[in-house]
Amino acid sequence: PFGPGTISSAGALLPVELIGFEGAIEARSNKLTWKTATEENTSHFVIERSNDGISNYTEVGNVRARGFSTVTQTYSKK
């Protein structure tokens, strides 16, 4: 099941302004949906998972980004 997580920039400027993030349980998978307000030189988003939500993250997928955008973009991944 989808659980709480953390999104952090560790004090650095990010090339993406994230304005929304949701997770939902669907049938036999989880669906992640997020929105960005702006993107600058962004190629993709990496989807990772962890059994404890603290460490040992592994990549389970990725989503191609728009690259450059100043309008709201919506993404999702099952």
Side-chain angles (χ1 to χ4, degrees):
F2 182 79
T6 302
I7 298 172
S8 172
S9 67
L13 292 177
L14 297 177
V16 173
E17 183 182 353
L18 186 68
I19 57 173
F21 186 85
E22 295 180 9
I25 298 170
E26 289 191 352
R28 298 176 58 175
S29 66
N30 296 320
K31 182 177 181 182
L32 303 176
T33 304
W34 64 98
K35 293 181 181 185
T36 63
T38 60
E39 297 176 25
E40 184 178 330
N41 197 27
T42 305
S43 65
H44 64 284
F45 297 94
V46 176
I47 312 299
E48 297 180 327
R49 73 176 300 250
S50 166
N51 288 330
D52 62 10
I54 298 171
S55 62
N56 299 318
Y57 283 88
T58 55
E59 183 175 336
V60 295
N62 63 66
V63 175
R64 188 175 187 180
R66 303 300 187 282
F68 292 89
S69 179
T70 57
V71 297
T72 300
Q73 300 292 330
T74 301
Y75 299 92
S76 66
K77 179 75 173 174
K78 284 190 178 186

Coordinates of all heavy atoms in Angstrom, one line a residue:
P1 N 0.8 -1.2 0.0 CA 0.0 0.0 0.0 C 0.9 1.3 0.0 O 2.0 1.3 0.5 CB -0.8 -0.1 1.3 CG -0.4 -1.3 2.0 CD 0.6 -2.0 1.2
F2 N 0.3 2.3 -0.5 CA 0.9 3.6 -0.5 C 1.0 4.2 0.9 O 0.0 4.2 1.6 CB 0.2 4.6 -1.5 CG 0.9 5.9 -1.6 CD1 2.0 6.0 -2.4 CD2 0.4 7.0 -0.9 CE1 2.6 7.2 -2.5 CE2 1.1 8.2 -1.0 CZ 2.2 8.3 -1.8
G3 N 2.1 4.7 1.3 CA 2.3 5.3 2.6 C 2.9 6.7 2.5 O 3.3 7.1 1.4
P4 N 3.1 7.3 3.6 CA 3.7 8.7 3.6 C 5.1 8.7 3.2 O 5.8 7.7 3.4 CB 3.5 9.1 5.0 CG 3.4 7.9 5.8 CD 2.8 6.9 4.9
G5 N 5.6 9.7 2.6 CA 7.0 9.8 2.2 C 7.4 11.3 2.3 O 6.7 12.1 2.8
T6 N 8.6 11.5 1.9 CA 9.2 12.9 2.0 C 9.7 13.3 0.7 O 10.3 12.6 -0.1 CB 10.4 12.8 3.0 OG1 9.9 12.4 4.2 CG2 11.0 14.2 3.2
I7 N 9.4 14.6 0.4 CA 10.0 15.2 -0.8 C 10.9 16.4 -0.3 O 10.4 17.2 0.4 CB 8.9 15.8 -1.8 CG1 8.1 14.6 -2.3 CG2 9.5 16.6 -2.9 CD1 6.8 15.0 -3.0
S8 N 12.1 16.4 -0.6 CA 13.1 17.3 -0.1 C 14.1 17.8 -1.1 O 14.5 17.0 -1.9 CB 13.8 16.7 1.1 OG 14.8 17.6 1.6
S9 N 14.5 19.1 -1.0 CA 15.5 19.6 -1.9 C 16.8 19.8 -1.2 O 17.8 20.2 -1.8 CB 15.0 20.9 -2.5 OG 15.0 21.9 -1.4
A10 N 16.9 19.5 0.1 CA 18.1 19.6 0.9 C 18.7 21.0 0.8 O 19.9 21.2 0.8 CB 19.1 18.6 0.6
G11 N 17.8 22.1 0.7 CA 18.3 23.4 0.6 C 18.8 23.9 -0.8 O 19.2 25.0 -1.0
A12 N 18.7 23.0 -1.8 CA 19.2 23.3 -3.1 C 18.0 23.8 -4.0 O 16.9 23.4 -3.7 CB 19.8 22.1 -3.8
L13 N 18.3 24.6 -5.0 CA 17.2 25.0 -5.9 C 17.0 23.8 -6.9 O 17.9 23.3 -7.4 CB 17.7 26.2 -6.7 CG 17.8 27.5 -5.9 CD1 18.3 28.6 -6.8 CD2 16.4 27.9 -5.3
L14 N 15.7 23.5 -7.1 CA 15.4 22.4 -8.0 C 14.9 23.0 -9.3 O 14.3 24.0 -9.3 CB 14.3 21.5 -7.3 CG 14.6 20.8 -6.0 CD1 13.4 20.1 -5.5 CD2 15.8 19.9 -6.3
P15 N 15.0 22.2 -10.4 CA 14.6 22.7 -11.7 C 13.1 22.5 -11.9 O 12.5 22.8 -12.9 CB 15.4 21.8 -12.7 CG 15.6 20.6 -11.9 CD 15.8 21.0 -10.5
V16 N 12.4 22.0 -10.8 CA 10.9 21.7 -10.9 C 10.2 22.3 -9.7 O 10.7 22.2 -8.6 CB 10.7 20.2 -10.9 CG1 9.2 19.9 -10.8 CG2 11.3 19.5 -12.1
E17 N 9.1 23.0 -10.0 CA 8.3 23.5 -8.9 C 7.1 22.6 -8.7 O 6.2 22.7 -9.5 CB 7.9 25.0 -9.2 CG 7.1 25.6 -8.0 CD 6.6 27.0 -8.4 OE1 7.0 27.5 -9.4 OE2 5.8 27.5 -7.6
L18 N 7.1 21.7 -7.7 CA 6.1 20.8 -7.5 C 4.9 21.4 -6.8 O 5.1 22.1 -5.7 CB 6.6 19.6 -6.7 CG 5.7 18.4 -6.4 CD1 5.5 17.7 -7.7 CD2 6.3 17.5 -5.4
I19 N 3.7 21.3 -7.3 CA 2.6 22.0 -6.6 C 1.5 21.0 -6.1 O 0.5 21.3 -5.5 CB 1.9 23.0 -7.5 CG1 1.4 22.4 -8.9 CG2 2.8 24.2 -7.8 CD1 0.6 23.3 -9.7
G20 N 1.7 19.7 -6.4 CA 0.8 18.7 -5.9 C 1.3 17.3 -6.1 O 2.1 17.0 -7.0
F21 N 1.0 16.4 -5.1 CA 1.5 15.0 -5.2 C 0.4 14.2 -4.5 O 0.1 14.5 -3.3 CB 2.8 14.9 -4.5 CG 3.4 13.5 -4.7 CD1 4.1 13.2 -5.8 CD2 3.2 12.6 -3.7 CE1 4.6 11.9 -6.0 CE2 3.7 11.3 -3.8 CZ 4.4 10.9 -5.0
E22 N 0.0 13.1 -5.1 CA -1.0 12.2 -4.5 C -0.7 10.8 -4.8 O -0.1 10.5 -5.9 CB -2.4 12.5 -5.0 CG -3.0 13.8 -4.7 CD -4.4 14.0 -5.2 OE1 -5.0 13.1 -5.8 OE2 -4.8 15.2 -5.2
G23 N -1.1 9.9 -3.9 CA -0.9 8.4 -4.2 C -2.2 7.8 -3.9 O -2.9 8.1 -2.9
A24 N -2.6 6.8 -4.7 CA -3.8 6.0 -4.5 C -3.6 4.6 -4.7 O -2.8 4.2 -5.6 CB -4.9 6.6 -5.4
I25 N -4.3 3.7 -4.0 CA -4.3 2.3 -4.2 C -5.4 2.0 -5.3 O -6.5 2.4 -5.1 CB -4.6 1.5 -2.9 CG1 -3.6 1.9 -1.8 CG2 -4.7 0.1 -3.1 CD1 -3.9 1.4 -0.5
E26 N -4.9 1.3 -6.3 CA -5.9 0.9 -7.4 C -5.7 -0.6 -7.6 O -4.6 -1.1 -7.9 CB -5.6 1.6 -8.6 CG -5.9 3.1 -8.6 CD -5.9 3.7 -10.0 OE1 -5.4 3.1 -10.9 OE2 -6.3 4.9 -10.1
A27 N -6.8 -1.3 -7.6 CA -6.8 -2.8 -7.9 C -5.5 -3.5 -7.4 O -5.4 -3.7 -6.2 CB -7.0 -3.0 -9.4
R28 N -4.6 -3.8 -8.3 CA -3.4 -4.5 -7.9 C -2.1 -3.7 -7.9 O -1.0 -4.2 -8.1 CB -3.2 -5.7 -8.7 CG -4.4 -6.7 -8.5 CD -4.4 -7.9 -9.4 NE -3.1 -8.6 -9.2 CZ -2.8 -9.7 -9.7 NH1 -3.7 -10.3 -10.6 NH2 -1.7 -10.3 -9.5
S29 N -2.3 -2.3 -7.9 CA -1.1 -1.5 -8.0 C -1.4 -0.1 -7.3 O -2.5 0.1 -6.8 CB -0.8 -1.2 -9.4 OG -1.8 -0.5 -10.1
N30 N -0.4 0.7 -7.2 CA -0.5 2.1 -6.7 C -0.4 3.0 -7.8 O 0.3 2.8 -8.8 CB 0.6 2.4 -5.7 CG 0.5 1.5 -4.5 OD1 -0.6 1.2 -4.0 ND2 1.6 1.0 -4.0
K31 N -1.1 4.1 -7.8 CA -1.1 5.2 -8.8 C -0.6 6.5 -8.1 O -1.1 6.9 -7.2 CB -2.4 5.4 -9.4 CG -2.4 6.4 -10.5 CD -3.7 6.6 -11.2 CE -3.6 7.6 -12.3 NZ -4.9 7.8 -13.0
L32 N 0.5 7.0 -8.7 CA 1.0 8.3 -8.3 C 0.6 9.3 -9.3 O 0.7 9.1 -10.5 CB 2.6 8.2 -8.2 CG 3.1 7.1 -7.2 CD1 4.7 7.1 -7.3 CD2 2.7 7.3 -5.8
T33 N 0.2 10.5 -8.8 CA -0.1 11.6 -9.6 C 0.5 12.9 -9.0 O 0.5 13.1 -7.8 CB -1.6 11.8 -9.7 OG1 -2.2 10.6 -10.1 CG2 -2.0 12.9 -10.6
W34 N 1.2 13.7 -9.9 CA 1.8 14.9 -9.4 C 1.7 16.0 -10.5 O 1.5 15.7 -11.6 CB 3.2 14.7 -9.0 CG 4.2 14.3 -10.1 CD1 5.0 15.1 -10.8 CD2 4.4 12.9 -10.6 NE1 5.8 14.3 -11.7 CE2 5.4 13.0 -11.6 CE3 3.8 11.7 -10.3 CZ2 5.8 11.9 -12.3 CZ3 4.3 10.6 -11.0 CH2 5.3 10.7 -11.9
K35 N 1.8 17.2 -10.0 CA 1.6 18.4 -10.8 C 2.8 19.3 -10.6 O 3.3 19.5 -9.5 CB 0.4 19.2 -10.5 CG -0.9 18.5 -10.9 CD -2.1 19.3 -10.6 CE -3.4 18.5 -10.9 NZ -4.6 19.4 -10.8
T36 N 3.3 19.9 -11.7 CA 4.4 20.9 -11.6 C 3.9 22.2 -12.1 O 3.1 22.3 -13.0 CB 5.6 20.5 -12.4 OG1 5.3 20.4 -13.8 CG2 6.1 19.1 -11.9
A37 N 4.4 23.3 -11.5 CA 4.0 24.7 -12.0 C 5.0 25.1 -13.0 O 4.7 25.8 -14.0 CB 4.0 25.6 -10.8
T38 N 6.3 24.8 -12.8 CA 7.4 25.1 -13.8 C 8.4 23.9 -13.8 O 8.5 23.2 -12.9 CB 8.1 26.4 -13.4 OG1 8.7 26.2 -12.1 CG2 7.2 27.6 -13.3
E39 N 9.0 23.8 -15.0 CA 10.1 22.9 -15.2 C 11.2 23.6 -16.0 O 10.9 24.3 -16.9 CB 9.6 21.6 -15.9 CG 8.5 20.9 -15.2 CD 8.0 19.7 -16.0 OE1 8.8 19.2 -16.9 OE2 6.9 19.3 -15.8
E40 N 12.4 23.3 -15.6 CA 13.5 23.9 -16.4 C 14.6 22.8 -16.6 O 15.1 22.2 -15.7 CB 14.1 25.0 -15.6 CG 15.3 25.7 -16.4 CD 15.8 26.9 -15.6 OE1 15.0 27.5 -14.9 OE2 17.0 27.2 -15.8
N41 N 14.8 22.5 -17.9 CA 15.8 21.5 -18.3 C 15.6 20.1 -17.5 O 16.6 19.6 -17.0 CB 17.2 22.0 -18.0 CG 18.3 21.3 -18.8 OD1 18.0 20.7 -19.8 ND2 19.5 21.3 -18.2
T42 N 14.4 19.6 -17.5 CA 14.1 18.4 -16.8 C 13.8 17.3 -17.8 O 12.9 17.4 -18.6 CB 12.8 18.6 -15.9 OG1 13.1 19.7 -15.0 CG2 12.5 17.4 -15.0
S43 N 14.5 16.2 -17.7 CA 14.3 15.1 -18.7 C 13.3 14.1 -18.2 O 12.5 13.6 -19.0 CB 15.7 14.4 -19.0 OG 16.2 13.8 -17.9
H44 N 13.3 13.8 -16.9 CA 12.4 12.7 -16.5 C 12.3 12.7 -14.9 O 13.1 13.4 -14.2 CB 12.9 11.3 -16.9 CG 14.2 10.9 -16.3 ND1 15.4 11.4 -16.8 CD2 14.5 10.1 -15.4 CE1 16.4 10.9 -16.1 NE2 15.9 10.1 -15.2
F45 N 11.3 12.0 -14.4 CA 11.1 11.8 -13.0 C 11.4 10.3 -12.7 O 10.9 9.5 -13.5 CB 9.7 12.1 -12.6 CG 9.3 13.6 -12.8 CD1 8.7 14.0 -14.0 CD2 9.6 14.5 -11.9 CE1 8.4 15.3 -14.2 CE2 9.3 15.9 -12.1 CZ 8.7 16.3 -13.3
V46 N 12.1 10.0 -11.7 CA 12.4 8.7 -11.3 C 11.4 8.3 -10.2 O 11.3 9.0 -9.2 CB 13.9 8.5 -10.8 CG1 14.1 7.1 -10.3 CG2 14.8 8.9 -11.9
I47 N 10.8 7.1 -10.3 CA 9.9 6.6 -9.3 C 10.6 5.5 -8.5 O 11.2 4.6 -9.1 CB 8.6 5.9 -9.9 CG1 8.0 6.9 -11.0 CG2 7.6 5.5 -8.9 CD1 7.5 8.2 -10.5
E48 N 10.7 5.7 -7.2 CA 11.4 4.8 -6.4 C 10.5 4.2 -5.3 O 9.5 4.9 -4.9 CB 12.6 5.4 -5.7 CG 13.6 5.9 -6.7 CD 14.8 6.5 -6.0 OE1 14.6 7.2 -4.9 OE2 15.9 6.4 -6.5
R49 N 10.8 3.1 -4.7 CA 10.1 2.5 -3.6 C 11.0 2.0 -2.5 O 12.2 1.7 -2.8 CB 9.1 1.5 -4.0 CG 9.8 0.2 -4.4 CD 8.8 -0.9 -4.7 NE 7.9 -1.2 -3.6 CZ 7.9 -2.3 -2.9 NH1 8.7 -3.3 -3.2 NH2 7.1 -2.4 -1.9
S50 N 10.5 1.9 -1.3 CA 11.2 1.4 -0.2 C 10.3 0.7 0.7 O 9.1 1.1 0.9 CB 11.9 2.6 0.6 OG 12.3 2.2 1.9
N51 N 10.7 -0.4 1.3 CA 9.9 -1.2 2.2 C 9.6 -0.5 3.5 O 8.5 -0.7 4.1 CB 10.5 -2.6 2.5 CG 10.4 -3.5 1.3 OD1 9.5 -3.4 0.5 ND2 11.3 -4.4 1.2
D52 N 10.5 0.4 4.0 CA 10.3 1.1 5.2 C 10.1 2.6 5.0 O 9.8 3.3 6.0 CB 11.4 0.9 6.2 CG 12.8 1.4 5.7 OD1 12.8 2.1 4.7 OD2 13.8 1.0 6.3
G53 N 10.2 3.1 3.8 CA 10.0 4.6 3.6 C 11.1 5.4 4.1 O 11.0 6.7 4.1
I54 N 12.2 4.8 4.5 CA 13.3 5.6 5.1 C 14.6 5.3 4.4 O 15.4 6.2 4.1 CB 13.5 5.2 6.6 CG1 12.3 5.6 7.4 CG2 14.8 5.9 7.2 CD1 12.3 5.1 8.8
S55 N 14.9 4.1 4.0 CA 16.1 3.7 3.3 C 15.9 2.6 2.3 O 14.8 2.2 2.1 CB 17.1 3.3 4.4 OG 16.6 2.1 5.0
N56 N 17.0 2.3 1.6 CA 17.0 1.2 0.6 C 16.0 1.4 -0.5 O 15.2 0.5 -0.8 CB 16.8 -0.2 1.3 CG 17.9 -0.5 2.3 OD1 19.1 -0.2 2.0 ND2 17.5 -1.0 3.4
Y57 N 16.0 2.6 -1.1 CA 15.1 2.9 -2.2 C 15.6 2.2 -3.5 O 16.8 2.2 -3.7 CB 15.0 4.4 -2.4 CG 14.1 5.1 -1.4 CD1 14.6 5.5 -0.2 CD2 12.8 5.2 -1.7 CE1 13.8 6.2 0.7 CE2 11.9 5.8 -0.7 CZ 12.5 6.3 0.4 OH 11.7 6.9 1.4
T58 N 14.7 1.7 -4.3 CA 15.0 1.1 -5.6 C 14.1 1.7 -6.6 O 13.0 2.0 -6.4 CB 14.9 -0.4 -5.6 OG1 13.5 -0.8 -5.2 CG2 15.8 -1.1 -4.6
E59 N 14.7 1.9 -7.8 CA 13.9 2.5 -8.9 C 12.9 1.4 -9.4 O 13.3 0.3 -9.7 CB 14.9 2.9 -10.0 CG 14.1 3.6 -11.2 CD 15.0 4.1 -12.2 OE1 16.2 4.4 -11.9 OE2 14.6 4.3 -13.4
V60 N 11.7 1.9 -9.6 CA 10.6 1.0 -10.1 C 10.0 1.5 -11.4 O 9.2 0.9 -12.0 CB 9.5 0.7 -9.1 CG1 10.1 -0.1 -7.9 CG2 8.9 1.9 -8.6
G61 N 10.5 2.7 -11.8 CA 10.0 3.2 -13.1 C 10.4 4.7 -13.2 O 11.1 5.2 -12.4
N62 N 10.1 5.2 -14.4 CA 10.3 6.7 -14.6 C 9.3 7.2 -15.6 O 8.6 6.5 -16.3 CB 11.8 6.9 -15.1 CG 12.1 6.3 -16.4 OD1 11.5 6.6 -17.4 ND2 13.0 5.3 -16.4
V63 N 9.2 8.5 -15.6 CA 8.2 9.2 -16.4 C 8.9 10.4 -17.1 O 9.6 11.2 -16.5 CB 7.0 9.8 -15.6 CG1 6.1 10.6 -16.4 CG2 6.3 8.6 -14.9
R64 N 8.8 10.4 -18.4 CA 9.4 11.5 -19.2 C 8.8 12.8 -18.9 O 7.5 13.0 -18.8 CB 9.2 11.2 -20.7 CG 9.9 12.1 -21.6 CD 9.8 11.6 -23.0 NE 10.7 12.4 -23.8 CZ 10.7 12.3 -25.1 NH1 10.0 11.3 -25.7 NH2 11.5 13.0 -25.8
A65 N 9.6 13.8 -18.6 CA 9.1 15.2 -18.3 C 9.0 16.0 -19.6 O 9.4 15.6 -20.6 CB 10.2 15.9 -17.4
R66 N 8.3 17.1 -19.5 CA 8.1 18.0 -20.6 C 9.4 18.8 -21.0 O 9.5 19.3 -22.1 CB 7.0 19.0 -20.4 CG 5.7 18.5 -20.0 CD 5.1 17.6 -21.1 NE 3.7 17.1 -20.8 CZ 3.3 16.2 -20.0 NH1 4.2 15.6 -19.2 NH2 2.1 15.8 -19.8
G67 N 10.3 18.9 -20.0 CA 11.6 19.5 -20.3 C 11.6 21.0 -19.8 O 12.3 21.3 -18.9
F68 N 10.9 21.8 -20.5 CA 10.8 23.3 -20.2 C 9.3 23.6 -20.2 O 8.6 23.4 -21.2 CB 11.5 24.2 -21.1 CG 13.0 24.0 -21.1 CD1 13.7 23.1 -21.9 CD2 13.8 24.8 -20.2 CE1 15.0 22.9 -21.9 CE2 15.2 24.7 -20.2 CZ 15.8 23.7 -21.0
S69 N 8.8 24.2 -19.1 CA 7.4 24.6 -19.1 C 7.2 25.6 -18.0 O 7.8 25.6 -16.9 CB 6.6 23.3 -18.7 OG 5.2 23.7 -18.7
T70 N 6.3 26.5 -18.3 CA 5.9 27.6 -17.3 C 4.4 27.5 -17.1 O 3.8 28.4 -16.5 CB 6.3 29.0 -17.8 OG1 5.7 29.2 -19.1 CG2 7.8 29.1 -17.9
V71 N 3.8 26.4 -17.5 CA 2.4 26.2 -17.2 C 2.2 24.8 -16.5 O 3.1 24.0 -16.6 CB 1.5 26.1 -18.5 CG1 1.6 27.5 -19.2 CG2 2.0 25.0 -19.5
T72 N 1.1 24.7 -15.8 CA 0.9 23.5 -15.0 C 0.9 22.2 -15.9 O 0.3 22.2 -16.9 CB -0.4 23.5 -14.2 OG1 -0.4 24.7 -13.4 CG2 -0.7 22.3 -13.4
Q73 N 1.7 21.2 -15.5 CA 1.8 19.9 -16.1 C 1.4 18.9 -15.1 O 1.7 19.0 -13.9 CB 3.2 19.6 -16.6 CG 3.8 20.6 -17.5 CD 3.1 20.6 -18.9 OE1 2.6 19.5 -19.3 NE2 3.1 21.7 -19.6
T74 N 0.6 17.9 -15.6 CA 0.2 16.8 -14.7 C 0.8 15.5 -15.2 O 0.7 15.2 -16.4 CB -1.4 16.7 -14.7 OG1 -1.9 17.9 -14.3 CG2 -1.9 15.6 -13.8
Y75 N 1.3 14.7 -14.3 CA 1.9 13.4 -14.6 C 1.3 12.3 -13.7 O 0.8 12.6 -12.6 CB 3.4 13.4 -14.2 CG 4.2 14.4 -15.0 CD1 4.4 15.7 -14.5 CD2 4.7 14.1 -16.3 CE1 5.1 16.7 -15.2 CE2 5.5 15.0 -17.0 CZ 5.7 16.3 -16.5 OH 6.4 17.2 -17.2
S76 N 1.3 11.1 -14.2 CA 0.9 9.9 -13.4 C 1.6 8.7 -13.8 O 2.1 8.6 -14.9 CB -0.6 9.7 -13.5 OG -1.0 9.3 -14.7
K77 N 1.7 7.7 -12.8 CA 2.4 6.5 -13.1 C 1.8 5.4 -12.2 O 1.6 5.7 -11.0 CB 3.9 6.6 -12.8 CG 4.7 5.4 -13.0 CD 4.9 5.1 -14.4 CE 5.9 3.9 -14.6 NZ 6.0 3.5 -15.9
K78 N 1.4 4.3 -12.7 CA 0.9 3.1 -12.0 C 2.1 2.2 -11.6 O 3.1 2.2 -12.2 CB -0.1 2.3 -12.8 CG -1.4 3.0 -12.8 CD -2.4 2.1 -13.4 CE -3.8 2.7 -13.4 NZ -4.8 1.8 -13.8

